[in-house]
Amino acid sequence: SEANFAFAPTDLFIDGNDSDAVDENLAIGGAVGKLTATDDHDTGEALTYKIDSDPSGLFEIKNDQLLLKGAL
């Protein structure tokens, strides 16, 4: 039988944010940017995103949007 392996997407980007910083005046609930990625192995399948580590609890993901959840 053929094994079905999941491969991690590559080239993860946050569109709408041209730097490694978040605008300090961004309102809580505001969009940091839209998440996009390339998945060469599972073409046509929808990608899902999750935050692996956010000790400060400042961010959340809804659909493909990275949002500010707490005050900076």
Side-chain angles (χ1 to χ4, degrees):
S1 79
E2 184 176 317
N4 185 10
F5 295 101
F7 294 93
T10 59
D11 301 325
L12 180 63
F13 295 102
I14 302 174
D15 292 340
N17 187 351
D18 295 329
S19 71
D20 292 337
V22 175
D23 180 356
E24 66 182 329
N25 296 314
L26 184 64
I28 293 174
V32 175
K34 179 180 178 180
L35 300 168
T36 61
T38 301
D39 191 350
D40 296 331
H41 297 283
D42 296 319
T43 306
E45 290 187 18
L47 297 175
T48 57
Y49 303 93
K50 74 174 186 172
I51 297 173
D52 281 339
S53 178
D54 181 17
S56 300
L58 294 177
F59 301 98
E60 67 180 333
I61 296 174
K62 287 191 178 175
N63 300 315
D64 61 357
Q65 296 287 318
L66 178 62
L67 305 174
L68 183 64
K69 185 168 94 172
L72 295 176

